[in-house]
Amino acid sequence: MARRILYAVGARPNFVKAAPLLEASRAHPEVDTLLVHTGQHYDDALSGALFRDLELRAPDVNLGVGSGSHAAQTAAVMCAFEPVVLGWRPDVVVVVGDVNSTLACALAAAKLGVAVAHVEAGLRSWDRSMPEEINRVLVDHLADLLFTPGRDADDNLLREGIAVERIHRVGNVMVDSLRRQLPRARGRCLLPGPPLPDGAYAVATVHRPSNVDDPAQLAEIFAALAALAEEMPVVFPVHPRTRGCAERSGLLPALGAARVVEPLGYHAMLALMERARLVVTDSGGVQEETTVLGVPCVTLRDTTERPVTVREGTSVLVPVRTRDNILRAAAEAVAPGRGTRVPELWDGRAAERILEVLARF
Ligand code: UD1
């Protein structure tokens, strides 16, 4: 009898994590897969473009749920996902990351008595004001199999009373995608405008509610990017949420000479980051990618659920995000002599290890 594995994805970072899992599944003829897209992200820039770059097959099912408040979005995914699980009868539902779709699919599956596997389990920022932190905690406590990227995550789960035999330390699937796609990404960043000087420009991304929803906070971040843009070109791919907030508060002109572009595809973003002098971000995935690429990273967050990127990698946190603090962190991040290394098991083979476990579960 084939093992039936249902992979559920919904938002941009999920696609990057699911691609290597689908790829690794192909090496297991005893495994049947179904790919379900909840439709949480639906713009081509946040969804279709990523599927193409990651060579991810088209979803078998798209629930078309779209945007909404947290409760509305989570509930809509649950309602639409339940009949798919009942119809296809998977042995295990695999969810990745920490977005609303991750929680909704895990909860719907668990209530139907279907086993849940969580990839990227055990991350904790200890900040419950982040919607993702609530999603992480709940999904980990629903899951039967917890695949962690490193030792910190194992420790967090054990402290919360999760049984050791459920925890599998496998490494970081985000890095699997990076290592596979980087050679294809090189040379594929065709940005409009003047060419960027190699190793002498910055890339910025910001989309977290805690940074963009409050106009005073967003103004400090934009002032820092404008000041950086006086020193070197700054490319700023703008997430739709951020664009909405900036337009409503009339802040876009405060970016000065920073170059505002649409959200980039996966290849374009990797190629751009690899040759940057500095990355400024509040994205968890970008913190990991810059650590693997060895590119200095200013992380616009009070805390991080990925402390290894600060301890061993290239990331510098900015707990109080005034213009001047961000600029100080940028100077610290690029200072010569900062030793960094790639964390254990971030070797591009995490998905293979996960499939070994799933195939015999
Ligand atoms: C979501 C995740 C976040 C992840 C981010 C990556 C949650 C709670 N948050 O945040 O963890 O880091 O994705 O991008 O799940 N919108 C569009 N087009 C789209 C999708 C959204 O324009 O395709 C706009 C809508 O105005 C929407 C807003 O962006 O209301 C927010 O989208 P949503 O999916 O709720 O959260 P993100 O901010 O993208």
Side-chain angles (χ1 to χ4, degrees):
M1 274 276 282
R3 307 254 89 198
R4 292 163 78 78
I5 304 181
L6 188 159
Y7 292 106
V9 295
R12 181 165 65 174
N14 288 170
F15 311 142
V16 184
K17 293 163 198 165
L21 295 168
L22 280 142
E23 168 78 25
S25 302
R26 290 215 291 266
H28 287 265
E30 75 284 20
V31 160
D32 256 358
T33 60
L34 189 79
L35 177 60
V36 178
H37 187 332
T38 66
Q40 177 174 344
H41 282 175
Y42 42 86
D43 282 353
D44 189 66
L46 296 187
S47 181
L50 279 275
F51 271 70
R52 290 191 292 279
D53 283 354
L54 290 158
E55 305 165 282
L56 196 50
R57 75 172 194 238
D60 302 300
V61 181
N62 191 323
L63 305 177
V65 161
S67 305
S69 69
H70 285 275
Q73 189 175 56
T74 309
V77 172
M78 288 184 72
C79 292
F81 187 61
E82 184 176 56
V84 177
V85 176
L86 286 170
W88 198 67
R89 307 176 70 81
D91 294 305
V92 57
V93 166
V94 178
V95 295
V96 298
D98 55 16
V99 305
N100 286 344
S101 297
T102 310
L103 171 61
C105 293
L107 188 49
K111 293 259 175 144
L112 292 171
V114 175
V116 173
H118 185 206
V119 175
E120 203 185 76
L123 302 193
R124 295 291 182 270
S125 65
W126 315 111
D127 174 4
R128 290 277 175 109
S129 71
M130 283 181 81
E132 294 81 1
E133 182 74 354
I134 296 172
N135 295 342
R136 288 179 201 119
V137 171
L138 294 175
V139 173
D140 283 342
H141 285 261
L142 291 168
D144 301 277
L145 287 170
L146 296 103
F147 294 109
T148 66
R151 189 182 300 272
D152 294 332
D154 296 11
D155 292 344
N156 294 337
L157 295 173
L158 292 171
R159 262 200 303 272
E160 290 178 17
I162 289 179
V164 67
E165 53 280 6
R166 291 184 172 192
I167 303 171
H168 301 265
R169 193 192 312 158
V170 290
N172 191 330
V173 281
M174 197 92 179
V175 181
D176 294 14
S177 275
L178 185 152
R179 296 203 188 277
R180 182 173 171 82
Q181 297 297 339
L182 190 59
R184 291 170 220 222
R186 289 192 175 118
R188 285 207 43 200
C189 186
L190 302 168
L191 279 187
L196 292 164
D198 229 6
Y201 62 88
V203 185
T205 77
V206 48
H207 73 281
R208 301 246 170 232
S210 54
N211 280 327
V212 305
D213 288 1
D214 169 15
Q217 176 60 82
L218 192 59
E220 291 288 334
I221 293 171
F222 279 12
L225 296 181
L228 267 180
E230 301 288 313
E231 287 169 39
M232 60 180 132
V234 174
V235 183
F236 183 33
V238 185
H239 187 285
R241 176 187 200 106
T242 310
R243 184 179 284 279
C245 294
E247 281 173 357
R248 277 192 298 280
S249 47
L251 275 171
L252 280 176
L255 281 164
R259 237 156 98 181
V260 174
V261 299
E262 290 302 306
L264 296 173
Y266 182 65
H267 283 160
M269 188 65 188
L270 277 189
L272 199 61
M273 286 194 294
E274 191 189 21
R275 294 182 156 328
R277 172 159 169 75
L278 176 70
V279 171
V280 180
T281 192
D282 60 6
S283 150
V286 171
Q287 285 168 59
E288 296 178 339
E289 288 160 349
T290 48
T291 276
V292 175
L293 295 170
V295 175
C297 178
V298 169
T299 299
L300 301 172
R301 305 261 310 266
D302 314 6
T303 55
T304 175
E305 62 290 334
R306 293 160 163 95
V308 75
T309 63
V310 177
R311 210 171 52 232
E312 297 180 23
T314 59
S315 183
V316 176
L317 285 183
V318 195
V320 180
R321 290 172 295 286
T322 60
R323 170 190 177 279
D324 291 351
N325 284 352
I326 296 168
L327 293 174
R328 254 194 299 276
E332 185 188 332
V334 300
R338 265 192 98 221
T340 64
R341 67 189 171 101
V342 176
E344 186 198 358
L345 291 180
W346 290 23
D347 59 358
R349 301 190 53 197
E352 272 173 51
R353 295 184 197 106
I354 290 170
L355 261 293
E356 289 299 323
V357 178
L358 286 178
R360 61 183 156 76
F361 173 65

mmCIF file of all heavy atoms in Angstrom, residues 144-165:
data_model
loop_
_atom_site.group_PDB
_atom_site.id
_atom_site.type_symbol
_atom_site.label_atom_id
_atom_site.label_comp_id
_atom_site.label_asym_id
_atom_site.label_seq_id
_atom_site.Cartn_x
_atom_site.Cartn_y
_atom_site.Cartn_z
ATOM 1 N N ASP A 144 2.220 15.166 15.332
ATOM 2 C CA ASP A 144 2.700 13.846 15.759
ATOM 3 C C ASP A 144 4.177 13.706 15.473
ATOM 4 O O ASP A 144 4.892 12.997 16.169
ATOM 5 C CB ASP A 144 1.934 12.768 14.992
ATOM 6 C CG ASP A 144 0.443 12.867 15.246
ATOM 7 O OD1 ASP A 144 0.002 12.323 16.273
ATOM 8 O OD2 ASP A 144 -0.265 13.535 14.460
ATOM 9 N N LEU A 145 4.624 14.364 14.399
ATOM 10 C CA LEU A 145 6.038 14.323 14.014
ATOM 11 C C LEU A 145 6.529 15.758 13.947
ATOM 12 O O LEU A 145 5.907 16.598 13.279
ATOM 13 C CB LEU A 145 6.185 13.709 12.623
ATOM 14 C CG LEU A 145 5.964 12.215 12.499
ATOM 15 C CD1 LEU A 145 5.895 11.828 11.016
ATOM 16 C CD2 LEU A 145 7.102 11.467 13.177
ATOM 17 N N LEU A 146 7.644 16.045 14.633
ATOM 18 C CA LEU A 146 8.166 17.407 14.634
ATOM 19 C C LEU A 146 9.573 17.396 14.051
ATOM 20 O O LEU A 146 10.492 16.812 14.635
ATOM 21 C CB LEU A 146 8.151 17.975 16.064
ATOM 22 C CG LEU A 146 6.724 18.111 16.619
ATOM 23 C CD1 LEU A 146 6.412 16.990 17.590
ATOM 24 C CD2 LEU A 146 6.529 19.459 17.285
ATOM 25 N N PHE A 147 9.711 18.019 12.897
ATOM 26 C CA PHE A 147 11.012 18.072 12.209
ATOM 27 C C PHE A 147 11.665 19.417 12.502
ATOM 28 O O PHE A 147 11.136 20.465 12.105
ATOM 29 C CB PHE A 147 10.826 17.879 10.701
ATOM 30 C CG PHE A 147 10.322 16.509 10.349
ATOM 31 C CD1 PHE A 147 9.025 16.321 9.881
ATOM 32 C CD2 PHE A 147 11.143 15.399 10.504
ATOM 33 C CE1 PHE A 147 8.559 15.056 9.560
ATOM 34 C CE2 PHE A 147 10.687 14.121 10.183
ATOM 35 C CZ PHE A 147 9.395 13.949 9.717
ATOM 36 N N THR A 148 12.790 19.383 13.202
ATOM 37 C CA THR A 148 13.404 20.641 13.652
ATOM 38 C C THR A 148 14.661 20.957 12.842
ATOM 39 O O THR A 148 15.351 20.055 12.361
ATOM 40 C CB THR A 148 13.790 20.564 15.147
ATOM 41 O OG1 THR A 148 14.832 19.582 15.299
ATOM 42 C CG2 THR A 148 12.618 20.197 16.021
ATOM 43 N N PRO A 149 14.977 22.274 12.751
ATOM 44 C CA PRO A 149 16.174 22.669 12.003
ATOM 45 C C PRO A 149 17.457 22.628 12.823
ATOM 46 O O PRO A 149 18.547 22.710 12.259
ATOM 47 C CB PRO A 149 15.864 24.108 11.583
ATOM 48 C CG PRO A 149 14.905 24.607 12.619
ATOM 49 C CD PRO A 149 14.123 23.418 13.099
ATOM 50 N N GLY A 150 17.349 22.503 14.159
ATOM 51 C CA GLY A 150 18.582 22.525 14.961
ATOM 52 C C GLY A 150 18.305 22.288 16.439
ATOM 53 O O GLY A 150 17.158 22.099 16.856
ATOM 54 N N ARG A 151 19.392 22.313 17.213
ATOM 55 C CA ARG A 151 19.322 21.951 18.623
ATOM 56 C C ARG A 151 18.455 22.906 19.463
ATOM 57 O O ARG A 151 17.739 22.471 20.363
ATOM 58 C CB ARG A 151 20.748 21.916 19.190
ATOM 59 C CG ARG A 151 20.870 21.345 20.582
ATOM 60 C CD ARG A 151 22.319 21.397 21.061
ATOM 61 N NE ARG A 151 23.210 20.638 20.190
ATOM 62 C CZ ARG A 151 23.467 19.338 20.339
ATOM 63 N NH1 ARG A 151 22.914 18.662 21.317
ATOM 64 N NH2 ARG A 151 24.283 18.720 19.512
ATOM 65 N N ASP A 152 18.504 24.225 19.149
ATOM 66 C CA ASP A 152 17.687 25.184 19.916
ATOM 67 C C ASP A 152 16.221 24.769 19.885
ATOM 68 O O ASP A 152 15.509 24.842 20.884
ATOM 69 C CB ASP A 152 17.750 26.595 19.294
ATOM 70 C CG ASP A 152 19.125 27.225 19.372
ATOM 71 O OD1 ASP A 152 19.872 26.897 20.305
ATOM 72 O OD2 ASP A 152 19.451 28.049 18.489
ATOM 73 N N ALA A 153 15.777 24.369 18.693
ATOM 74 C CA ALA A 153 14.371 24.006 18.514
ATOM 75 C C ALA A 153 14.039 22.742 19.310
ATOM 76 O O ALA A 153 12.991 22.672 19.968
ATOM 77 C CB ALA A 153 14.077 23.801 17.036
ATOM 78 N N ASP A 154 14.931 21.766 19.308
ATOM 79 C CA ASP A 154 14.707 20.552 20.108
ATOM 80 C C ASP A 154 14.534 20.927 21.575
ATOM 81 O O ASP A 154 13.619 20.443 22.262
ATOM 82 C CB ASP A 154 15.907 19.602 20.037
ATOM 83 C CG ASP A 154 16.159 19.066 18.645
ATOM 84 O OD1 ASP A 154 15.544 19.578 17.698
ATOM 85 O OD2 ASP A 154 16.970 18.132 18.511
ATOM 86 N N ASP A 155 15.423 21.794 22.063
ATOM 87 C CA ASP A 155 15.375 22.182 23.484
ATOM 88 C C ASP A 155 14.048 22.863 23.809
ATOM 89 O O ASP A 155 13.437 22.608 24.847
ATOM 90 C CB ASP A 155 16.541 23.118 23.822
ATOM 91 C CG ASP A 155 17.886 22.383 23.749
ATOM 92 O OD1 ASP A 155 17.878 21.137 23.742
ATOM 93 O OD2 ASP A 155 18.929 23.065 23.696
ATOM 94 N N ASN A 156 13.588 23.755 22.910
ATOM 95 C CA ASN A 156 12.315 24.449 23.157
ATOM 96 C C ASN A 156 11.170 23.446 23.284
ATOM 97 O O ASN A 156 10.312 23.564 24.161
ATOM 98 C CB ASN A 156 12.003 25.413 22.007
ATOM 99 C CG ASN A 156 12.993 26.563 21.928
ATOM 100 O OD1 ASN A 156 13.642 26.891 22.918
ATOM 101 N ND2 ASN A 156 13.100 27.170 20.755
ATOM 102 N N LEU A 157 11.152 22.462 22.406
ATOM 103 C CA LEU A 157 10.055 21.486 22.410
ATOM 104 C C LEU A 157 10.102 20.626 23.667
ATOM 105 O O LEU A 157 9.069 20.354 24.292
ATOM 106 C CB LEU A 157 10.131 20.605 21.158
ATOM 107 C CG LEU A 157 9.901 21.341 19.832
ATOM 108 C CD1 LEU A 157 10.158 20.409 18.646
ATOM 109 C CD2 LEU A 157 8.481 21.908 19.756
ATOM 110 N N LEU A 158 11.299 20.208 24.045
ATOM 111 C CA LEU A 158 11.428 19.362 25.240
ATOM 112 C C LEU A 158 10.976 20.141 26.475
ATOM 113 O O LEU A 158 10.279 19.599 27.338
ATOM 114 C CB LEU A 158 12.874 18.882 25.394
ATOM 115 C CG LEU A 158 13.329 17.887 24.315
ATOM 116 C CD1 LEU A 158 14.831 17.638 24.397
ATOM 117 C CD2 LEU A 158 12.557 16.563 24.416
ATOM 118 N N ARG A 159 11.325 21.435 26.529
ATOM 119 C CA ARG A 159 10.905 22.270 27.671
ATOM 120 C C ARG A 159 9.390 22.385 27.745
ATOM 121 O O ARG A 159 8.825 22.567 28.804
ATOM 122 C CB ARG A 159 11.499 23.677 27.553
ATOM 123 C CG ARG A 159 12.764 23.866 28.380
ATOM 124 C CD ARG A 159 13.026 25.343 28.626
ATOM 125 N NE ARG A 159 13.132 26.084 27.378
ATOM 126 C CZ ARG A 159 14.269 26.232 26.699
ATOM 127 N NH1 ARG A 159 15.383 25.709 27.139
ATOM 128 N NH2 ARG A 159 14.287 26.913 25.579
ATOM 129 N N GLU A 160 8.730 22.298 26.592
ATOM 130 C CA GLU A 160 7.261 22.383 26.578
ATOM 131 C C GLU A 160 6.609 21.018 26.773
ATOM 132 O O GLU A 160 5.392 20.883 26.628
ATOM 133 C CB GLU A 160 6.782 23.012 25.261
ATOM 134 C CG GLU A 160 7.122 24.500 25.192
ATOM 135 C CD GLU A 160 6.717 25.154 23.875
ATOM 136 O OE1 GLU A 160 5.902 24.589 23.126
ATOM 137 O OE2 GLU A 160 7.237 26.258 23.621
ATOM 138 N N GLY A 161 7.400 20.021 27.061
ATOM 139 C CA GLY A 161 6.830 18.715 27.413
ATOM 140 C C GLY A 161 6.523 17.827 26.225
ATOM 141 O O GLY A 161 5.800 16.837 26.357
ATOM 142 N N ILE A 162 7.033 18.152 25.060
ATOM 143 C CA ILE A 162 6.784 17.303 23.886
ATOM 144 C C ILE A 162 7.711 16.082 23.945
ATOM 145 O O ILE A 162 8.911 16.207 24.238
ATOM 146 C CB ILE A 162 6.957 18.132 22.599
ATOM 147 C CG1 ILE A 162 5.768 19.105 22.530
ATOM 148 C CG2 ILE A 162 7.023 17.234 21.359
ATOM 149 C CD1 ILE A 162 5.715 20.031 21.389
ATOM 150 N N ALA A 163 7.119 14.927 23.692
ATOM 151 C CA ALA A 163 7.872 13.674 23.874
ATOM 152 C C ALA A 163 9.043 13.603 22.893
ATOM 153 O O ALA A 163 8.895 13.925 21.705
ATOM 154 C CB ALA A 163 6.938 12.483 23.644
ATOM 155 N N VAL A 164 10.175 13.154 23.408
ATOM 156 C CA VAL A 164 11.410 13.160 22.618
ATOM 157 C C VAL A 164 11.283 12.317 21.357
ATOM 158 O O VAL A 164 11.852 12.641 20.315
ATOM 159 C CB VAL A 164 12.611 12.742 23.512
ATOM 160 C CG1 VAL A 164 12.506 11.280 23.938
ATOM 161 C CG2 VAL A 164 13.937 13.008 22.828
ATOM 162 N N GLU A 165 10.476 11.232 21.424
ATOM 163 C CA GLU A 165 10.417 10.359 20.244
ATOM 164 C C GLU A 165 9.638 10.989 19.081
ATOM 165 O O GLU A 165 9.690 10.507 17.962
ATOM 166 C CB GLU A 165 9.899 8.958 20.592
ATOM 167 C CG GLU A 165 8.604 8.823 21.313
ATOM 168 C CD GLU A 165 8.677 9.070 22.836
ATOM 169 O OE1 GLU A 165 9.741 9.461 23.358
ATOM 170 O OE2 GLU A 165 7.636 8.898 23.490
#
